[in-house]
Amino acid sequence: MASTSDIRNGLCIKFNHDIYKIIEFLHVKPGKGPAFVRTKMKSLTNGKVLDNTFSAGHKIEDVRVETQTYQYLYAEGDQFHFMNTENFEQITLEKKILDAPDLLKEGTLVMVQINTETDLPLSVDMPASIVLEVTYTEPGVKGNTATNAHKPAKVETGASVNVPLFINEGDKIKIDTATGSYMERVKE
């Protein structure tokens, strides 16, 4: 058993007969009244996000997890196939467990959290950023840079990302996997 002081991003807990992963948390100590912890939790079974407030010192049941490195192989409909990089075992995960499935490129290494009690995968942690090639975008208009203008672009995985006007087809760009937004152009 853990308490609210042990809450951190990525912690998996049992709550309301389900397993949740803490996405965001905030310890609040108001001037009047007891302290509490505001959390945003994602269900690892159905992918729904839940906002909850725990009072300070509240006991929470944490889930023992083990993190292993897996390599993304391919997708088949809503089924995503991964291979363990140590023992080469393959697992299949549902699309709803993944945070940014449209940014996954074949060969990408991800961290999979596995419940040690049941040996079932709980969640997939993507790398902080990923480099992808732009496959389609409208050409930028010369001189149209007075404002911080953006245009839509398709990347090699099929995802759509808003990019600055100077990005062209064939450019490689770095994308933040948490927000799905453009970070910078990558030079080779």
Side-chain angles (χ1 to χ4, degrees):
M1 287 295 254
S3 71
T4 53
S5 62
D6 299 319
I7 290 180
R8 64 188 184 286
N9 286 342
L11 178 71
C12 294
I13 63 171
K14 287 184 183 173
F15 183 73
N16 285 351
H17 310 293
D18 199 357
I19 297 177
Y20 287 88
K21 179 180 179 181
I22 305 291
I23 300 172
E24 293 177 17
F25 71 98
L26 178 65
H27 287 278
V28 179
K29 176 70 174 105
K32 186 176 182 182
F36 56 91
V37 180
R38 265 196 204 108
T39 60
K40 187 177 277 190
M41 308 182 296
K42 180 179 180 182
S43 171
L44 297 179
T45 55
N46 59 24
K48 291 184 180 174
V49 176
L50 173 74
D51 289 319
N52 191 48
T53 302
F54 295 102
S55 57
H58 182 83
K59 297 292 182 199
I60 53 176
E61 189 175 350
D62 58 337
V63 178
R64 291 188 40 80
V65 295
E66 186 178 282
T67 304
Q68 297 178 355
T69 304
Y70 279 78
Q71 182 180 23
Y72 170 63
L73 298 176
Y74 61 95
E76 227 174 19
D78 282 350
Q79 304 284 322
F80 285 73
H81 298 270
F82 296 87
M83 178 183 66
N84 189 321
T85 57
E86 291 177 13
N87 59 16
F88 306 109
E89 289 180 7
Q90 292 188 17
I91 59 171
T92 303
L93 299 175
E94 293 286 327
K95 183 177 186 174
K96 64 184 175 186
I97 291 180
L98 305 171
D99 292 333
D102 53 342
L103 294 177
L104 268 177
K105 180 180 172 183
E106 292 177 2
T108 302
L109 294 178
V110 296
M111 302 305 285
V112 177
Q113 292 183 333
I114 298 174
N115 186 340
T116 56
E117 297 169 9
T118 61
D119 286 335
L120 293 174
L122 294 177
S123 70
V124 177
D125 292 334
M126 297 270 294
S129 64
I130 190 164
V131 176
L132 297 172
E133 184 177 332
V134 175
T135 56
Y136 175 77
T137 187
E138 296 290 329
V141 179
K142 190 172 185 173
N144 191 3
T145 56
T147 61
N148 192 6
H150 285 76
K151 62 183 178 179
K154 272 248 194 275
V155 293
E156 59 188 294
T157 60
S160 185
V161 179
N162 281 335
V163 298
L165 296 176
F166 60 82
I167 299 294
N168 298 312
E169 289 182 20
D171 287 350
K172 291 194 182 293
I173 59 172
K174 186 185 275 191
I175 301 170
D176 182 356
T177 57
T179 61
S181 60
Y182 167 86
M183 291 172 71
E184 64 184 0
R185 179 168 50 182
V186 177
K187 294 195 168 85
E188 294 181 28

